[in-house]
Amino acid sequence: MSDLFRVEGLTKSFGGLAVSRDISLSMPEGERLALIGPNGAGKTTFVNLVTGQLAPSAGRVILNGEDVTGLGAVRRVRKGLVRTFQVTRLFSDMTPEEHVTLTVLQREGKASRLLGRFHGNSQVSGEVESILATLGLIEVARRKVREIAYGQQRLLEIAIALALRPKVLLLDEPAAGVPSSDTPRIEQALERLPPSLAVLMIEHDMDLVFRFAKRVVVLAAGEIIFEGLPSEVAADPKVREAYLGSYANARSVA
Amino acid sequence: MPAASLDVRGLSAGYGPTVVLEDLSFSVPAGSRLSILGRNGMGKTTLLASLMGMTRRYGGEIRVDGSDIASAKSSERAMRGIGLVPQTRDIFRSLTVEENLLVGIKGRPRSVIEEAYEMFPRLKERRRNLGWQLSGGEQQMLSTARTILGRPSVLLLDEPLEGLAPVICDELMAAFSRLAASGEMTILLVEQRLESALDFADSVMILERGRIVWQGTSETLRSDHELVERYIGVGSLH
Amino acid sequence: DTVKVGIIGPFSGPFALQGKNFQAGVEAYMALNGKSVKGHDVEVIYRDLPAANPAQSRALAQELIVKDKVQYLGGVYFTPDALAITPLLKQANAPLVIFNAATSAIMTQSPLVVRTSFTTAQTTTPLGKIAVDRGVKKVVTAVSDYGPGVDAENAFKKAFEAAGGKVVEAIRMPLNTNDFSPIMQRVRDSGAEAVFAFLPSGPTTLGFVKAYNETGLKQAGIKFFAPGDLTQESDLPALGDGALGLLTTFHYAVSHDSPENKRFVEAATKAIGGADQLSFPAVGAFDGMHVIYKMIEATDGKQDAQKAVDAVKGLSWTSPRGPVSIDADTRHITENIYLREVVKGPDGKLINKEIETFANQKDPGLASQ
Amino acid sequence: MQTILSIGIDAFAYGMALFIICIGLSLTMGLMRVVNLAHGAFAMIAGYIASYVARDLGWGYGFAIILAVIGTIILSIPLERFLFRRIYGSSELTQVLMTIGITFCVIGITNYFFGPTLKTIPLPTGLSQPVDVGFRTIAAHRLFVMACGLVVAAGLWYVIERTAFGIKLRATVDNAAMADALGVKTQVVYAVSFALAIGLAAFGGVVGAEFLPIEPYYALRYMVTFLVVVSVGGAGSILGAVIACLVLGAVDTTGRYLMPDFGNFFFYAAVIAIVCVFPRGFFGKAQ
Amino acid sequence: MQTLAQSEKLAAAPSLGSRFLRDAIGIAAIIVAGIAGYFLFPDNLALLTRVIAVGLLVLSIDLITGYCGVATLGQAALFGAGAYAAGIACVNGVTEPLTLILIGAIAGAAAGLLMGTIMLRAHGLAQLVLSIAIVQLFHEAANKASAYTGGSDGLAGLMLSPLFGMFEFDLWGQTAYLFGLALLVVVFVVLKFVVASPFGMLCRGIKEDPVRIGAMGAFVFPVLLKMFVISGAVAGMGGALAAISTQVVGLDSVSFELSANALVMLVLGGLGSLYGALIGTVIFMGFEHVVSAINPFHWMTMVGALLIAVVLALPGGLSSIADAILPSRGRTRGGKA
Ligand SMILES: Nc1ncnc2c1ncn2[C@@H]1O[C@H](COP(=O)(O)OP(=O)(O)OP(=O)(O)O)[C@@H](O)[C@H]1O
Ligand SMILES: Nc1ncnc2c1ncn2[C@@H]1O[C@H](COP(=O)(O)OP(=O)(O)OP(=O)(O)O)[C@@H](O)[C@H]1O
Ligand SMILES: [Mg+2]
Ligand SMILES: [Mg+2]
């Protein structure tokens, strides 16, 4: 059982539409996996199934050798299974600093304390600051989220996930909406993650995918149609047709 | 409606008390393509939203084919031919795909939604699904299709490729180019991917902190690496 | 000098009409008898208490006493409001003259309370005999599920069974019942020959009477008995012809035929602004003011609650409702109770026509306490 | 058996009366996202107009209904223009504040001008007679109310789900700024739907007056009932409202028949049970 | 705003001292206003005491509505639980005022636990309706259990022993008022700490997006339930204070009307700010008292007009005036309070 994280035969359909057909996947410690595939292939659904937002009709999710399929979403987070949202879900009236502080406090189990003050809590402020700095959010740290640009909100999503110190991190299009000038920030943040962490990233930005991933899985119509090294992906005709299009050509020329 | 020209003079706009755009002036000839570039939070979205009438205007003129629409409500602007595909997609979550499209047809016959289905066959498969059930990319397709169905003469695209599979991006950019080339639409595109943006547009405008800091042709920008580095960031061009 | 009287009543809210009647009664009395007693000017201060709310009632009474320095408290439509005031009276050295609140037990709470209205037991009790006299042996009681409703149920049951009848079923209906058809269905299923009802005056009586007519109970010959709250004059226009023939017992009918009543109705109508808004709380207030005037007279405008109350014990006079007196032991009013039938009056309007008199009724409720 | 049928028909009539009065509120709350606590006040205004037309002028029931609906809508136009328009899109609690304020004012003004007495709307003879339906007699107007309820339900369903206006309305509610940007005149859409909702309130107030009598306090007295029914059904859902009205009407009626002493217990216990099983109401929008 | 430091360090957070000072000023203002009320309106102490009792109820609603986003129209169930518990205890021989307040708090907290457990099963409008259903059931139960509660006649005859053996609860209401004021200040200070704690922040997060909070690894239900219990205790104390000061408990203290009025007061004052709750209560009850004394027959129109005017002029509630005047109660801080 060297795999940190494994799913077996995950299956789900909405009405007549099968969005996840018997997906099995495993990730060892330190894995950097990219999950790509056409729109509506079932990638986000896969993340929802893994994190417990949705219940699969069949299949198991195993973390650290423990079957977590029966656990709720919150317990899975506490066990180290953390995600970001494709469409940002943030507290529009709170500041990035407050978001991250709250997350750190929660991780430490101090978030529901009635004693002590939330603001100016020196025990966590150092860590909060370094997380915000990693993602370049210091400048907007004290502005309400509703007032900061969308790209920055995406970065904050990642900041929150990092603040949870996950074992397995599932990133749903972390770079969508983040300008190419700022994607390096995300990459840097990912690089600084503890090496033992397993990361699964869904992304349509192929440059980022190829820089990041050690392994690529391609999902189409709820099924894994390809699994292998990044260098092999562009060569696969099925993937080219279903997903890559001209990108594959550009790539093979380059 | 054929493509219209767009003239912006001294536009200042923002949200509530915050002024984001200051004194912007530029013009886009009918049927041409303009890319708007700029780092995160520099005001690209705000600019497009202001053209659509969705922000607070502090001053300036917006002329479409010569007539000023700066004080018109967004619905009037829509009727005068402006169409926006917003960055946040803003699909109607509780409506079905088909109903979403019907909102966008602006009085054209119902049957025109077939055009949208042709452009995005994926949407046809999901036509009875509610908006919130769609995947991210499907929402993006829906948002784009919905606006295009209204046949705008000035089309404002705010990062329309976000979240789309590369193969769809290609098709979509090709479609945009066709629409512009046919003389039906003037297109303003905000796009993070420099290459796509330059490939698409005749001319380019760079925003920084709510002001225009550079305007010129795509060719000039493509060849001027220093400029790119200064305003947009390193490593953007391959 | 001025003697101040504080009147607490529902002047706004769902019971505003009853409050308006308080005001009309008070104003009518002052119009007919002058605004001063033995040279002491009488000033009335109204305080609004829209619904039963003892805490607020107490706060209002307290304020009237402490801030406005009233010597007399009057009014009070609901029992809980009265109960909340009684503990204050001794310390405040002020009598409370109740114009309406109709639970027997209030009188035992303080020796400084006098009541000029009625109790539910008092108006209900004669119905027991009346029902039996009309050949009714089996009755279903249907009352609103709150203090006065329960009082009415008990009083009727006691009187009716004493006269040889039998209550086959006792239904208590939640106060906010809108549709009474199921209740009527139940009455019908029980095989009773009559229904005894008690509901607080106001909108729900309309629904009840309608349901009685529409579900065919009336046609089936099932009789209807109720204390007069159900057919108060101000509700009659709304009840319409459906109310014709209903039998109720009460202490006062606006149509009561006496010179005192004519004078009263004329003055009170002027005060309230419309003849069809006048009903029983006005007469309670009218006589309440009479008692207060007598108290002022007896104490010569000085604040002495005990003396004031003692002065009216045993007092008797002719009220618009007929001859009345204040019982010296209970300080509650002794009065005639009339059996009335709803009929069309000479001008075509519905009235409660008095057809039988039960003279000098005391409150039977206290005896059973 | 006869008893069951009899309770059933009472329950159905009561449920349908509730439905006609509440559906307008369900639309305002579910589609326009306005918690209009003044809904009952409009129903009451209509009742006063109808009472005046039918009783004081003696023009007949049909006229009374039509004039009440039109009159109430006309009265509501300035209110929409100057008050309601300010709270579209505000938080629900701000809307509660404003609409409670409006309710208080309407009550106060009605009380002042028309006095606190009950107002009745005389029925035409055809509707006021008891009708024999085989196993019992039932008032004809109850049958009329049932028919009205069914017609209203079907008509509304069609307008909202099937017409272009319905789609625009739902789009506007979902995201007004975007609908506007797509060329939908959102202000007009709101104004028309508001008028529709008020018209329904007016119709319900008049037709349902036999169940919920018209008096100044109408709006406050039945506010809880209205809110409960709308929410149990799921605001904005016509089918939900129908089911909620029928179920709650049945519970209420049966409870009052079987154990009148505990009538309200049953009603509210049922509400709790239903909501615990359907946490968003029968047909609430899950988002 | 545009000129925020470019550095990669956070500017030092506003010092603890200045926050503390601001709160101290706020609380001092409440005490001063309370004492001023005592001397300015010596004849209205009964009303002022009632304002304090209702103020506690409104504060308790603010905790779950303003801070957690759970709207309720049934809070009087908790208030009434406290009032009846204190009242029944008092009638049965527990006459010491502080003990009665404690009993009220416990009863309110228990009722809060029950109410929270039920209400948190639903969402949105349905949740609101649950709260209505619960308060109606409480009302029904209090009506039915007339042997203990006095039913619709109310529970009368509460005889209190003097506070600390010295101060009588009398007709003039001085003891009751000062006692109430002290209670309010203590509760307010405690609540200040609660809303400024990490727990308070967690609640605000839940208000904005419970799914997000779940994805942060925090359970939503226990947090909200805890707030319900705290809120219940506060409401229960309000009820007990009402019972002590008026010496009667009526069915109105478990009514929908009281719940709705209290919610209106809260919104009037401004949600999510403890000061707003108090301002709303004082303004609403004061206004109502004044206009109903001036015209007992038609004051409702005036109150309605006030509510409409506030929405039109100050959509954020009355306390937003303070925000506008005192920009230091700044944007970037946590709660508005
Ligand atoms: N609740 C739902 N009900 C019905 N269909 C749904 C639901 N959720 C998702 N779907 C459908 O399932 C399919 C898979 O959706 P999913 O969000 O997993 O796609 P995805 O791979 O993440 O796509 P994208 O790259 O566009 O984000 C989509 O076609 C979507 O419309
Ligand atoms: N609703 C708002 N209220 C106040 N300020 C806002 C609001 N929305 C955006 N801003 C501010 O306006 C500025 C410009 O934002 P805008 O969204 O236009 O940037 P952008 O160039 O589109 O960025 P991105 O590439 O991230 O989409 C930002 O500084 C942002 O903080
Ligand atoms: Mg996705
Ligand atoms: Mg943008």
Side-chain angles (χ1 to χ4, degrees), chain C residues 48 53-54 58 62-63 145 147, chain E residues 144 152 171 246 252 289 299:
Chain C
D48 181 27
N53 183 340
R58 187 179 159 109
Q62 215 157 338
E63 192 192 308
D145 192 5
Chain E
K144 288 277 175 225
S152 61
L171 176 63
T246 59
D252 62 285
H289 182 78
W299 56 272

Side-chain angles (χ1 to χ4, degrees), chain C residues 81 179 203 294 365:
Chain C
D81 298 337
D179 183 11
K294 286 287 175 233

Side-chain angles (χ1 to χ4, degrees), chain C residues 13-14 17 20 145 171-172 174 176-179 181-183 185-186 189 203 206 210 214-215 219 234 238 277, chain D residues 3 6 10 14 116-118 120 139 141-142 210-213 215 217 221-222 253 256-258 260-261 264:
Chain C
L17 186 58
K20 270 181 104 173
D145 192 5
I171 301 174
R172 296 190 182 169
N176 60 351
T177 304
N178 298 326
D179 183 11
S181 305
I183 308 273
Q185 187 63 36
R186 218 182 145 95
D189 292 353
L206 177 60
K210 268 211 174 96
E214 281 171 358
T215 47
Q219 289 151 304
S234 50
Q277 299 193 8
Chain D
T3 316
S6 173
D10 279 333
Y14 182 54
T117 41
L118 282 170
T120 48
H141 79 82
R142 288 191 168 231
E210 295 289 313
F211 292 86
L212 312 182
E215 35 110 20
Y217 259 75
R221 195 184 293 271
Y222 306 114
T253 309
R256 279 184 214 290
Y257 179 81
L258 293 178
D261 302 18
N264 281 342

Side-chain angles (χ1 to χ4, degrees), chain A residues 38-45 47 83 86-87 172-173 202 204, chain B residues 134-138 163:
Chain A
N39 297 116
K43 305 181 292 295
T44 302
T45 306
V47 172
R83 70 170 303 177
Q86 181 174 5
V87 179
D172 197 354
E173 305 199 23
I202 298 174
H204 291 296
Chain B
L134 297 184
S135 83
E138 289 164 346

Side-chain angles (χ1 to χ4, degrees), chain A residues 17 38-40 86-87 139 149-152 173 176-182 204 206-207 241-247, chain B residues 39-41 87-89 122 126 135-138 141 159 162-168 170 192 209 232-233 236 238:
Chain A
L17 183 78
N39 297 116
Q86 181 174 5
V87 179
E139 207 183 326
Y150 186 63
Q152 292 165 323
E173 305 199 23
V178 179
S180 28
S181 57
D182 277 356
H204 291 296
M206 286 304 115
D207 297 325
E241 193 210 343
Y243 184 66
L244 287 175
S246 68
Y247 189 90
Chain B
R39 273 193 253 251
N40 234 197
Q87 182 172 14
T88 41
R89 298 163 186 153
R122 181 88 205 158
R126 322 253 64 216
S135 83
E138 289 164 346
M141 298 175 200
E159 307 196 18
E162 185 194 309
L164 291 183
V167 61
I168 309 256
D170 296 344
Q192 301 283 11
R209 296 193 175 244
I232 300 168
S236 297
H238 303 281

Side-chain angles (χ1 to χ4, degrees), chain A residues 74-189:
Chain A
V74 176
R75 292 212 185 281
R76 296 193 204 185
V77 172
R78 293 192 166 182
K79 291 203 180 290
L81 201 53
V82 172
R83 70 170 303 177
T84 63
F85 289 94
Q86 181 174 5
V87 179
T88 55
R89 291 199 88 124
L90 298 166
F91 311 129
S92 53
D93 267 338
M94 285 163 60
T95 66
E97 185 188 9
E98 288 169 342
H99 278 84
V100 178
T101 310
L102 190 59
T103 315
V104 173
L105 283 172
Q106 147 57 31
R107 187 196 69 211
E108 306 269 295
K110 295 178 188 162
S112 58
R113 290 199 178 171
L114 283 168
L115 300 176
R117 295 213 144 210
F118 178 82
H119 291 274
N121 190 326
S122 53
Q123 290 161 325
V124 298
S125 57
E127 183 182 350
V128 170
E129 189 171 314
S130 81
I131 292 171
L132 289 172
T134 311
L135 291 151
L137 290 170
I138 289 288
E139 207 183 326
V140 295
R142 299 243 168 93
R143 298 180 63 180
K144 284 190 178 170
V145 161
R146 71 159 95 235
E147 291 167 5
I148 68 178
Y150 186 63
Q152 292 165 323
Q153 299 184 11
R154 303 307 314 244
L155 292 170
L156 180 54
E157 277 276 341
I158 298 170
I160 293 172
L162 294 186
L164 285 168
R165 298 220 179 124
K167 295 199 182 71
V168 177
L169 180 58
L170 306 156
L171 302 168
D172 197 354
E173 305 199 23
V178 179
S180 28
S181 57
D182 277 356
T183 39
R185 287 209 182 265
I186 296 179
E187 287 177 61
Q188 275 167 22

Side-chain angles (χ1 to χ4, degrees), chain D residues 47-159:
Chain D
Y48 271 80
I49 299 177
S51 170
Y52 179 74
V53 172
R55 201 178 60 166
D56 301 341
L57 299 182
W59 285 8
Y61 195 63
F63 257 118
I65 294 180
I66 294 168
L67 289 180
V69 171
I70 295 174
T72 311
I73 291 178
I74 290 175
L75 274 176
S76 76
I77 288 174
L79 288 179
E80 198 271 344
R81 181 72 193 73
F82 295 110
L83 298 180
F84 282 92
R85 207 170 273 187
R86 308 284 197 94
I87 53 168
Y88 295 148
S90 303
S91 80
E92 283 118 352
L93 291 174
T94 308
Q95 298 172 340
V96 164
L97 201 60
M98 163 80 94
T99 52
I100 280 262
I102 295 174
T103 311
F104 280 7
C105 285
V106 171
I107 290 175
I109 293 169
T110 320
N111 232 326
Y112 185 80
F113 285 107
F114 304 100
T117 41
L118 282 170
K119 291 278 176 263
T120 48
I121 307 164
L123 295 170
T125 40
L127 289 184
S128 56
Q129 246 120 46
V131 175
D132 197 343
V133 286
F135 51 93
R136 64 170 277 194
T137 53
I138 173 173
H141 79 82
R142 288 191 168 231
L143 298 174
F144 174 67
V145 164
M146 294 180 208
C148 286
L150 294 175
V151 169
V152 166
L156 270 184
W157 178 84
Y158 181 79
V159 168

